[in-house]
């Protein structure tokens, strides 16, 4: 029998939406290591970051002490178009799994971009407009960030130049067309349009690209074009800050029914969705108020947390960005063209890397075919076709629910369903046709990436 006390979907009212973003760095005893200037190895200053990012975003990036930032009214107004997003009790999945576990997921796919990315895109576009800029440049993997940013830029009448990882550009033509519908220009990366793109193509002829390559191109264009700045959809602390609207809403929805989660799970690529979901809960852990099991789930083909090194590294393949201390496979690591394009990044957010190093969360890597099996299992009972990225979290949520079935424990599991997979049908086709392969890099495969780490 379904519990009558907890609805299938818990919705907050618009008035109950968070009015501030939460900065987990303020509660961290061990602050994330600062971004370093690649030339001097000195911490990046506001003046240096302003060449690349909008001024207000650069300030947010450097602020390790302010616990809460007010969300500007214009951003809140835009948020109301698609927020608050529902926290869903997965009753049908629980029944199908025959588990005593209680499973909840925060669904972020109720907008045209199809994912959580719009939460930060609209904030970054807002600050660019406030600064009087003409436009912004960015990279995108699976295309969800590029879609979200193009939508945000069209709202504020800003130009938007997107460099899309080449294998995603080819695998996901419809997401590319959504970006163009919103007025963005979309270029497959690496391209011949930039100096760094030409260099990467000369070194790796025929490469399918990576997020690191696309970042390098977008930064080069932004820093060489008057009135433009670069914006990023993940990894940076400013992005994790904006995405905390997810975790704050999740916490408010759980509190409405006096629900305390035992396990919180998110997929991990650069860290935006995972950081956004778990930050308010980790904040409670840091303040000694609660204890949770937090699990980051990454692809076995790009295992930065589980097999990477905790070191200073370039955020991009072209080595034009600041150095960040993070769990990394090396900026020279070019991952296989697996289908979770949004998780195909060589490193991990400095904030999440520090929290992982301090033992506040654990990490697991999962193989692609098992991820799609879980995605299909979920889609058949919960009525949502999940994105490949989100399906990494689904896989581990199901694993944990099945452990509860064995032990009889009634654990409460919460995971982030970051977006929909309706533009990922080539990936689903590959899974159904049996042509999908599990690629797990050997230690030898990882060596060139580690060899590319800067000598500090």
């Amino acid at each position: 029998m379904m519990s009558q006390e907890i609805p299938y979907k818990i919705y907050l009212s618009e008035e109950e939406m968070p009015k501030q973003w939460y900065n987990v760095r303020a509660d961290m005893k061990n602050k994330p290591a600062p971004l370093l200037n690649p030339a001097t190895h000195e911490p990046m200053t506001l003046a240096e970051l302003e060449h690349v990012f909008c001024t207000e975003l650069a300030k947010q990036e450097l602020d390790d002490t302010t616990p809460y930032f007010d969300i500007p009214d214009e951003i809140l107004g835009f948020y109301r178009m698609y927020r608050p997003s529902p926290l869903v009790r997965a009753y049908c999945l629980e029944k199908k799994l025959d588990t005593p576990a209680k499973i909840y997921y925060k669904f972020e796919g109720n907008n045209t971009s199809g994912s959580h990315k719009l939460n930060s895109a609209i904030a970054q576009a807002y600050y660019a407009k406030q600064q009087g800029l003409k436009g912004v440049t960015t990279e995108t993997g699976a295309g969800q960030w590029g879609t979200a940013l193009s939508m945000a830029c069209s709202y504020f009448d800003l130009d938007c130049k997107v460099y899309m990882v080449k294998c995603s550009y080819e695998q996901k033509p419809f997401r590319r067309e959504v970006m163009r519908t919103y007025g963005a220009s979309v270029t497959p990366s690496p391209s011949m349009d930039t100096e760094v793109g030409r260099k990467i193509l000369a070194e790796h002829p025929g490469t399918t690209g990576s997020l690191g390559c696309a970042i390098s191109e977008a930064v080069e264009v932004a820093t060489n074009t008057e009135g433009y700045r670069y914006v990023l959809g993940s990894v940076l602390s400013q992005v994790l800050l904006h995405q905390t609207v997810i975790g704050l809403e999740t916490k408010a929805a759980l509190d409405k029914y006096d629900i305390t989660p035992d396990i919180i799970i998110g997929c991990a690529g650069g860290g935006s969705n995972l950081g956004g979901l778990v930050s308010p809960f980790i904040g409670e852990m840091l303040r000694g108020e609660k204890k949770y099991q937090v699990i980051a789930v990454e692809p076995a083909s790009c295992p930065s947390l589980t097999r990477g090194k905790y070191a200073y590294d370039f955020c991009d393949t072209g080595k034009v960005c600041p150095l960040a201390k993070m769990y990394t496979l090396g900026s020279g690591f070019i991952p296989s063209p697996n289908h979770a394009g949004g998780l195909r990044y060589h490193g991990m957010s400095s904030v999440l890397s520090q929290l992982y190093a301090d033992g506040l969360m654990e990490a697991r890597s999962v193989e692609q075919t098992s991820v799609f099996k879980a995605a299909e299992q979920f889609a058949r009972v919960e009525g949502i076709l999940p994105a490949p990225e989100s399906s990494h979290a689904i896989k581990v949520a199901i694993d944990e629910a099945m452990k509860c079935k064995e032990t009889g424990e009634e654990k409460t599991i919460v995971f982030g369903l970051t977006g929909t997979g309706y533009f990922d049908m080539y990936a689903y086709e590959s899974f159904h046709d049996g042509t999908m392969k599990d690629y797990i890099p050997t230690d030898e495969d990882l060596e060139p990436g580690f060899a590319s780490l800067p000598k500090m």
Side-chain angles (χ1 to χ4, degrees):
M1 285 292 291
M2 287 189 186
S3 162
Q4 295 308 305
E5 295 164 17
I6 297 170
Y8 203 98
K9 289 187 177 73
I10 303 173
Y11 277 106
L12 302 175
S13 68
E14 287 181 10
E15 287 67 44
E16 291 172 301
M17 258 174 58
K19 306 293 189 295
Q20 295 175 307
W21 294 305
Y22 166 63
N23 182 10
V24 72
R25 290 170 287 167
D27 284 317
M28 290 171 68
K29 315 261 183 310
N30 299 326
K31 305 291 185 191
L35 293 172
L36 299 185
N37 182 311
T40 64
H41 290 185
E42 291 296 317
M44 292 290 287
T45 63
L46 179 63
E48 289 170 328
L49 284 180
E50 281 179 313
H51 290 302
V52 182
F53 304 116
C54 305
T55 301
E56 197 56 42
L57 293 167
K59 286 178 182 173
Q60 291 176 4
E61 189 64 33
L62 295 173
D63 194 325
D64 280 350
T65 54
T66 306
Y68 288 95
F69 286 78
D70 290 335
I71 303 173
D73 287 342
E74 196 162 1
I75 298 174
L76 277 174
F78 188 92
Y79 276 173
R80 288 190 188 100
M81 182 172 62
Y82 66 100
R83 304 202 72 85
S85 68
L87 180 69
V88 185
R89 173 76 182 266
Y91 280 115
C92 295
L93 181 62
E94 289 172 19
K95 185 180 175 188
K96 190 73 174 177
L97 298 175
D98 189 26
T99 175
K102 298 171 180 67
I103 307 171
Y104 295 83
Y105 58 91
K106 180 67 164 165
F107 181 50
E108 289 290 310
N110 280 335
N111 64 74
T112 311
S113 75
S115 81
H116 69 295
K117 296 287 189 179
L118 198 53
N119 301 328
S120 185
I122 194 63
Q124 295 191 51
Y126 167 82
Y127 290 120
K129 187 70 175 179
Q130 290 292 104
Q131 198 169 319
L133 298 175
K134 293 179 195 167
V136 294
T137 69
T138 197
E139 79 298 325
T140 194
Q144 288 179 327
W145 167 247
T147 306
L149 186 67
S150 58
M151 183 179 181
C153 285
S154 68
Y155 184 78
F156 285 117
D157 295 319
L158 288 165
D159 183 40
C160 180
K161 300 182 191 299
V162 180
Y163 287 83
M164 188 172 184
V165 176
K166 191 175 284 178
C167 63
S168 289
Y169 183 92
E170 291 162 357
Q171 287 169 0
K172 300 180 171 73
F174 298 133
R175 199 163 266 148
R176 181 179 77 219
E177 289 314 309
V178 177
M179 291 182 234
R180 291 175 63 191
T181 300
Y182 282 112
S185 68
V186 189
T187 305
S189 171
S191 74
M192 295 299 286
D193 295 4
T194 64
E195 192 179 320
V196 71
R198 291 188 289 273
K199 183 169 176 252
I200 290 166
L201 284 169
E203 288 175 14
H204 305 278
T207 178
T208 53
S210 71
L211 281 167
C213 299
I215 290 169
S216 297
E217 293 205 88
V219 169
E220 181 182 317
V221 172
T223 51
N224 290 312
T225 312
E226 184 65 37
Y228 281 74
R229 290 293 185 279
Y230 168 69
V231 295
L232 181 61
S234 192
V235 182
L236 293 172
S237 300
Q238 56 187 274
V239 183
L240 267 66
L241 176 73
H242 307 147
Q243 292 296 357
T244 57
V245 69
I246 303 171
L248 292 164
E249 278 188 12
T250 301
K251 203 169 169 334
L254 291 168
D255 288 348
K256 252 182 185 285
Y257 291 89
D258 294 322
I259 302 161
T260 302
D262 297 294
I263 307 171
I264 306 160
I265 303 167
C267 62
S272 67
N273 120 82
L274 175 69
L277 174 66
V278 306
S279 282
F281 298 96
I282 284 184
E284 290 183 303
M285 292 168 71
L286 288 163
R287 295 189 299 271
E289 297 163 7
K290 294 264 178 73
K291 185 80 179 82
Y292 305 102
Q293 182 183 6
V294 178
I295 307 173
V297 190
E298 61 185 9
S301 61
C302 196
S304 55
L305 283 173
T306 51
R307 294 177 66 195
K309 294 191 174 172
Y310 193 26
Y312 266 106
D313 191 17
F314 291 96
C315 294
D316 63 316
T317 307
K319 302 182 179 179
V320 295
C321 287
L323 296 166
K325 190 177 182 189
M326 57 185 175
Y327 280 90
T328 178
L329 298 168
S331 62
F333 177 76
I334 304 253
S336 76
N338 73 323
H339 293 286
L343 305 184
R344 206 181 303 147
Y345 183 62
H346 65 271
M348 185 61 61
S349 145
S350 290
V351 173
L352 294 177
S353 292
Q354 186 65 57
L355 293 170
Y356 180 60
D358 289 344
L360 286 146
M361 59 182 206
E362 60 189 83
R364 295 189 198 163
S365 68
V366 289
E367 293 166 21
Q368 185 168 234
T369 51
S370 69
V371 165
F372 274 85
K373 186 178 175 189
E376 187 177 80
Q377 199 175 358
F378 180 86
R380 288 179 179 182
V381 292
E382 285 295 324
I384 295 168
L385 188 76
E389 292 81 9
S390 316
S391 301
H392 287 68
I394 293 172
K395 159 78 173 107
V396 171
I398 290 174
D399 288 348
E400 290 299 319
M402 295 311 285
K403 282 185 197 169
C404 289
K405 184 176 178 177
E406 288 170 22
T407 63
E409 293 173 286
E410 292 186 22
K411 287 187 178 178
T412 297
I413 300 165
V414 175
F415 71 88
L417 182 51
T418 52
T420 54
Y422 298 105
F423 289 128
D424 298 290
M425 298 322 296
Y426 286 120
Y428 276 94
E429 179 184 41
S430 160
F431 173 68
H432 293 138
D433 289 349
T435 57
M436 181 177 283
K437 298 283 187 286
D438 285 322
Y439 169 71
I440 301 175
T442 64
D443 289 345
E444 288 72 30
D445 293 335
L446 296 180
E447 232 10 84
F450 293 143
S452 72
L453 289 173
K455 302 290 182 279
M456 300 300 292

